[in-house]
């Protein structure tokens, strides 16, 4: 991947580039960003990748704000919940864990946005959406930019690049051996 191709991928993520090998054949018809490169495009991309979530949680734990991503993830899972009884149970669990004044992992949301316990009786999939959006924005405009500069992110990026370079060197060695053995 050349520098200009990488720049295009960063500037225009929905587009896929066709990259050709030395013989002009497509090396991959759908070359897309992976790992840290993808995480760096947006918080949304980071949160779509389980490894990205793991690293982001690790970072937030060091910043004493892991509850933010845990709340966001719990809300995402809650939206998929089927059945009133299960929704009531999960809604109460989210409330008691993140929103109650006695919560073990209380998130920092605006006071007037807090939910009362009475709403837990009639749950609906988007009942936490406003609070989830607040926490998402807090992470996006605060923690996420620091994460991209953190040792956790930079060290992971470096190890990815080393693995990639090692794989490319092995591929080049195999190609060279085919050329010399013909």
């Amino acid at each position: 991947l050349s520098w200009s191709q990488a720049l295009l991928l960063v500037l225009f993520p929905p587009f896929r580039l066709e990259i050709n090998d030395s013989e002009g054949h497509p090396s991959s018809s759908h070359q897309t960003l992976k790992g840290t490169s993808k995480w760096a495009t947006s918080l949304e991309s980071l949160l779509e990748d389980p490894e990205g979530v793991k690293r982001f949680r690790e970072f937030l734990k060091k910043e004493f704000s892991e509850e933010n991503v845990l709340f966001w993830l719990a809300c995402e899972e809650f939206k998929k919940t089927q059945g009133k009884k299960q929704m009531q149970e999960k809604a109460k669990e989210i409330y008691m864990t993140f929103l109650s004044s006695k919560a073990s992992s209380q998130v920092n949301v605006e006071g007037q946005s807090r939910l009362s316990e009475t709403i837990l009786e009639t749950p609906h999939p988007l009942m936490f959406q406003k609070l989830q959006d607040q926490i998402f924005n807090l992470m996006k405009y605060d923690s996420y930019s620091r994460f991209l500069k953190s040792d956790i992110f930079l060290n992971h990026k470096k190890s990815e690049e080393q693995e990639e370079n090692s794989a490319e060197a092995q591929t080049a060695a195999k190609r060279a051996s085919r050329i010399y053995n013909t």
Side-chain angles (χ1 to χ4, degrees):
L1 194 61
S2 73
W3 182 86
S4 59
Q5 290 170 326
L7 182 60
L8 284 173
L9 279 174
V10 170
L11 294 174
F12 305 103
F15 296 110
R16 288 179 162 77
L17 297 174
E18 189 168 278
I19 299 172
N20 298 324
D21 64 18
S22 59
E23 288 97 36
H25 301 102
S27 60
S28 170
S29 58
H30 297 294
Q31 185 80 19
T32 57
L33 294 174
K34 289 186 269 185
T36 54
S37 297
K38 186 175 181 185
W39 304 348
T41 61
S42 68
L43 179 56
E44 292 89 337
S45 295
L46 170 74
L47 293 172
E48 289 172 359
D49 183 345
E51 182 67 22
V53 170
K54 179 182 170 186
R55 300 298 175 167
F56 192 47
R57 280 185 63 186
E58 189 180 329
F59 169 75
L60 291 176
K61 196 179 284 190
K62 287 184 176 188
E63 291 213 331
F64 304 101
S65 59
E66 183 187 21
E67 68 278 358
N68 291 334
V69 74
L70 293 176
F71 173 72
W72 188 89
L73 291 167
C75 291
E76 285 297 294
E77 196 59 37
F78 177 75
K79 291 175 191 176
K80 301 172 192 167
T81 305
Q82 301 291 316
K84 185 178 179 185
K85 183 85 171 136
Q86 288 86 350
M87 283 187 104
Q88 284 175 324
E89 289 171 7
K90 281 196 176 186
K92 185 172 184 173
E93 186 181 322
I94 288 172
Y95 180 81
M96 298 308 286
T97 305
F98 300 106
L99 301 171
S100 159
S101 59
K102 300 171 193 151
S104 56
S105 298
Q106 193 176 39
V107 290
N108 185 14
V109 291
E110 294 176 21
Q112 67 269 28
S113 297
R114 289 200 171 276
L115 299 174
S116 68
E117 278 190 70
T118 55
I119 196 170
L120 300 177
E121 296 306 314
T122 56
H124 58 87
L126 300 178
M127 67 186 282
F128 297 114
Q129 190 64 54
K130 186 176 180 185
L131 302 174
Q132 186 185 16
D133 290 345
Q134 276 188 39
I135 293 301
F136 180 84
N137 285 327
L138 179 69
M139 291 189 300
K140 183 175 183 172
Y141 297 110
D142 186 39
S143 311
Y144 175 65
S145 57
R146 284 196 311 280
F147 170 70
L148 295 178
K149 298 172 191 160
S150 73
D151 286 344
I152 291 170
F153 176 80
L154 296 173
N155 289 338
H156 191 72
K157 182 179 180 180
K158 190 177 185 178
S159 70
E160 270 184 355
E161 289 168 350
Q162 288 171 342
E163 286 175 23
E164 196 174 288
N165 290 341
S166 172
E168 286 174 9
Q170 289 174 356
T171 302
K174 285 179 186 174
R175 242 185 302 191
S177 113
R178 279 195 308 259
I179 292 169
Y180 291 116
N181 291 329
T182 55

